[in-house]
């Protein structure tokens, strides 16, 4: 990540047009300092928006310590009885987002979007979102990304659901292991050791899976139960997988819930499983599926093509449900489609419309034999019989990580194209995208 880009993004003032629009409504938009008590009020408003309990003093201090890289916005109502309490919250930060082909681009990650129910329906969320997307575009960030509480919120701003998440519930005794025998070993480790191993492993795997975002540092404490303010830290168990040469290639964290009616039927929930290679993946899953006294293993934010399905004898021992998960929003079409790689050579013309006018235009996209993409403006250019894709930003964003098929979107009437097969081949990718966490 380019540190100066991150600094320019974080330290700029608020978007002037957004501030002016809120001023007209008697409200004030501000960048929130990372200082108490302003931060306390902001965090309490955000927690309430997500239906969480009021944060304790200790939790606020811990969250503040973890949030230094974030740009925090608050909307304030000077006529409210306590005008220091924000009626709207919004947080962003820059991090690497993996695209098809092992490349990363800086993405503006959006989180903590809340508006108090006392001020809902007045366009506060829209104004903050539009302002922050304009700000990110001005700074030069090519794409925005977020995970959602409701599917219906963000398409209107050009965000498309590009990554589907799978939730697994596995009956361990029915599954039957037919996967490879890993040659390394699995050992229990302390939560603190898991905490120190996980970030490096995640960095190693990030580029191998489009859709994955660099993990915010603050998440590791939650996954490993090492946060100072963790509610039940002792519930998290951690193991590592080391290969035959003794190199650590994976870690897994899980919690267990007893079954009070039958002690042999506990449920293990995989908090996070991180495997840098296929052996570590097989070794850790096999270990989890053979935990004594555990009848069910659950895991979420998995990909839609987990090799695990082919490592169990009875595929119906696993119930898999799918959810829209990672939404992305292209801000700079050449910046994203020129950076990602392509599975097959070809050419398409893109005609993109954008409800916010940020990424509108006409381009010629060309994929070379070596998978690299080239993209040039085709505004007013006669592109002959090159296949044309007419798409909104939302649909192009959904397709840009290679996991959403142009064929499905065309059949659903969401895009128009003169050659659906050519467009689907060009924008598809052999590994479906994945994001392994929420933010
Ligand atoms: C979702 C939330 C931020 C919306 O805030 P808001 O200020 O009332 O939203 P706005 O008035 O700016 O509405 C913007 C648009 O979103 C639509 N919208 C708002 N809430 C919606 C909902 N729950 N479902 C679908 N659409 C919604 C509005 O109709 C409006 O549409 P339009 O501008 O295209 O006509 C607010 O309800 C909230 O805090 N919810 C709880 C926390 C949450 O889920 N946050 C989102 C985290 S991903």
């Amino acid at each position: 990540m380019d540190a100066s880009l991150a600094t320019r993004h974080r330290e700029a003032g608020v978007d002037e047009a957004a501030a002016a629009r809120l001023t007209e409504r008697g409200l004030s938009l501000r960048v929130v300092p990372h200082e108490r008590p302003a931060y306390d009020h902001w965090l309490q408003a955000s927690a309430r928006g997500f239906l969480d309990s009021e944060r304790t003093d200790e939790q606020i201090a811990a969250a503040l310590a973890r949030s230094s890289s974030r740009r925090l916005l608050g909307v304030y109502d000077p006529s409210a009885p306590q005008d220091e309490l924000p009626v709207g919250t919004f947080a962003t930060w820059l991090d690497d987002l993996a695209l098809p082909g092992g490349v990363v681009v800086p993405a503006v990650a959006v989180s903590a979007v809340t508006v108090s129910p006392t001020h809902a329906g007045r366009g506060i969320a829209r104004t903050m979102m539009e302002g922050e997307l304009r700000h990110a575009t001005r700074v030069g960030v090519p794409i925005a990304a977020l995970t959602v509480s409701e599917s219906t919120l963000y398409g209107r701003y050009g965000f498309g659901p590009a990554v589907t998440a799978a939730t697994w519930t596995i009956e361990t005794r029915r599954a039957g292991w037919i996967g490879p025998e890993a040659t390394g070993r699995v050992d229990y480790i302390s939560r603190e050791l898991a905490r120190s191993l996980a970030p490096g492993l995640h960095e190693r795997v990030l580029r191998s899976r489009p859709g994955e975002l660099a993990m915010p540092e603050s998440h590791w404490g939650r996954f490993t139960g090492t946060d100072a303010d963790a509610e039940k830290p002792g519930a998290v168990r951690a193991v590592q997988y080391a290969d035959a040469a003794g190199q650590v290639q994976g870690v897994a964290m899980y919690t267990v819930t007893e079954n009070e009616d039958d002690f042999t039927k506990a449920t293990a929930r995989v908090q996070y499983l991180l495997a840098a290679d296929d052996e570590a993946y097989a070794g850790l899953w096999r270990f989890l599926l053979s935990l004594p006294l555990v009848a069910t293993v659950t895991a979420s934010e998995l990909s839609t093509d987990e090799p695990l399905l082919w490592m169990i004898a009875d595929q119906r021992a696993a119930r898999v449900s799918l959810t829209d998960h990672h939404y992305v929003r292209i801000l700079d079409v050449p910046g994203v489609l020129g950076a990602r790689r392509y599975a097959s050579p070809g050419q398409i013309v893109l005609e993109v419309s954008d409800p916010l006018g940020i990424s509108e235009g006409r381009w010629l996209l060309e994929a070379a034999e070596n998978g690299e993409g080239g993209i040039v403006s085709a505004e007013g250019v006669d592109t002959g019989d090159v296949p044309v894709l007419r798409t909104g930003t939302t649909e192009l964003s959904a397709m840009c990580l290679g996991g959403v098929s142009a064929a499905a979107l065309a059949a659903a009437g969401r895009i128009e194209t003169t050659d659906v097969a050519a467009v689907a081949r060009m924008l598809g990718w052999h590994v479906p995208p994945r994001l392994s966490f929420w933010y």
Side-chain angles (χ1 to χ4, degrees):
M1 170 60 58
D2 174 347
S4 76
L5 183 69
T7 308
R8 273 184 286 133
H9 167 259
R10 191 178 56 246
E11 293 184 357
V14 295
D15 176 79
E16 284 176 15
R21 198 178 311 162
L22 289 170
T23 304
E24 280 166 19
R25 294 168 195 184
L27 302 168
S28 148
L29 176 66
R30 289 183 229 149
V31 174
V32 179
H34 291 81
E35 289 165 10
R36 306 186 73 171
Y39 180 78
D40 300 40
H41 301 315
W42 183 90
L43 189 69
Q44 297 292 22
S46 166
R48 190 189 56 220
F50 288 109
L51 314 181
D52 286 337
S53 324
E54 205 169 286
R55 295 288 187 249
T56 62
D57 200 55
E58 189 190 18
Q59 287 171 326
I60 296 171
L64 178 58
R66 294 192 293 258
S67 74
S68 61
S69 63
R70 298 190 175 198
R71 170 177 165 87
L72 311 176
L73 294 188
V75 175
Y76 297 84
D77 181 349
S79 68
Q82 289 179 288
D83 63 357
E84 70 280 17
L85 307 179
V87 297
T89 64
F90 203 98
T92 55
W93 66 95
L94 294 199
D95 246 327
D96 286 334
L97 174 74
L99 300 181
V103 288
V104 294
V105 288
V108 59
V110 178
S111 187
V113 182
T114 72
V115 171
S116 166
T118 56
H119 288 66
R122 302 187 198 175
I124 296 178
R126 176 177 272 281
T127 306
M128 290 193 289
M129 177 61 84
E130 290 185 3
E132 285 308 283
L133 293 178
R134 281 193 297 269
H135 167 57
T137 308
R138 275 194 301 270
V139 172
V141 184
I143 195 164
L146 45 74
T147 55
V148 302
S149 59
E150 294 185 81
S151 306
T152 47
L153 293 175
Y154 296 107
R156 57 175 49 79
Y157 309 113
F159 285 88
V163 179
T164 300
T167 299
W168 281 52
T169 304
I170 312 164
E171 292 175 57
T172 57
R173 292 181 191 121
R174 182 176 166 188
W177 186 261
I178 54 165
E181 301 287 331
T183 56
R185 55 184 280 173
V186 174
D187 289 285
Y188 277 101
I189 56 174
S190 66
R191 291 191 301 278
E192 290 71 23
L193 181 53
R195 169 73 185 81
S196 70
L197 290 169
L201 283 163
H202 190 259
E203 260 180 59
R204 279 171 62 192
V205 303
L206 173 69
R207 285 169 186 264
S208 63
R209 184 63 81 164
E212 193 69 39
L213 190 73
M215 178 79 82
E217 270 299 302
S218 54
H219 280 42
W220 290 122
R222 178 146 41 89
F223 285 131
T224 55
T226 52
D227 275 343
D229 56 337
E231 275 173 26
K232 282 174 72 183
V236 179
R237 303 291 176 189
V239 290
Q240 69 168 37
Y241 175 89
D243 63 19
Q247 292 296 314
V248 177
Q249 303 292 2
V251 290
M253 282 70 75
Y254 67 93
T255 56
V256 181
T257 310
E258 273 177 38
N259 181 329
E260 286 177 10
D261 295 329
D262 185 339
F263 197 63
T264 67
K265 290 189 177 152
T267 297
R269 176 175 160 67
V270 180
Q271 297 268 103
Y272 201 81
L273 185 148
L274 192 49
D277 62 24
D278 294 343
E279 281 225 338
Y281 178 91
L284 288 169
W285 272 116
R286 183 174 197 180
F287 171 79
L288 291 164
L289 295 189
S290 43
L291 286 170
L293 306 175
V294 168
T296 308
V297 170
T298 65
S300 53
E301 288 78 55
L302 301 183
S303 88
T304 54
D305 71 339
E306 290 293 334
L308 180 59
L309 194 64
W310 302 95
M311 295 177 170
I312 53 177
D314 183 348
Q315 294 198 346
R316 288 194 195 172
R319 268 183 292 122
V320 179
S321 64
L322 304 180
T323 327
D324 54 306
H325 181 42
H326 206 188
Y327 282 64
V328 301
R329 202 277 184 215
I330 295 178
L331 300 169
D332 170 4
V333 173
V336 174
L337 295 184
R340 66 159 277 189
R341 298 296 191 262
Y342 296 87
S344 61
Q347 281 189 325
I348 55 174
V349 172
L350 296 163
E351 293 180 1
V352 185
S353 58
D354 182 342
L356 305 188
I358 293 175
S359 55
E360 249 161 16
R362 186 168 190 272
W363 289 272
L364 175 64
L365 173 65
E366 185 160 8
E369 284 289 343
N370 67 3
E372 286 183 14
I375 180 162
V376 291
S377 171
E379 228 51 85
V381 175
D382 178 3
T383 46
D385 56 5
V386 176
V388 177
L389 166 62
R390 275 178 216 100
T391 174
T393 297
T394 301
E395 291 74 16
L396 186 63
S397 297
M399 289 188 286
C400 76
L401 300 178
V404 172
S405 145
L409 292 187
R414 295 286 297 259
I415 58 171
E416 284 176 23
T417 170
T418 55
D419 186 342
V420 69
V423 173
R425 260 197 314 276
M426 183 106 170
L427 295 180
W429 189 248
H430 65 284
V431 191
R434 177 189 180 198
L435 175 71
S436 57
F437 58 95
W438 285 82
Y439 60 91

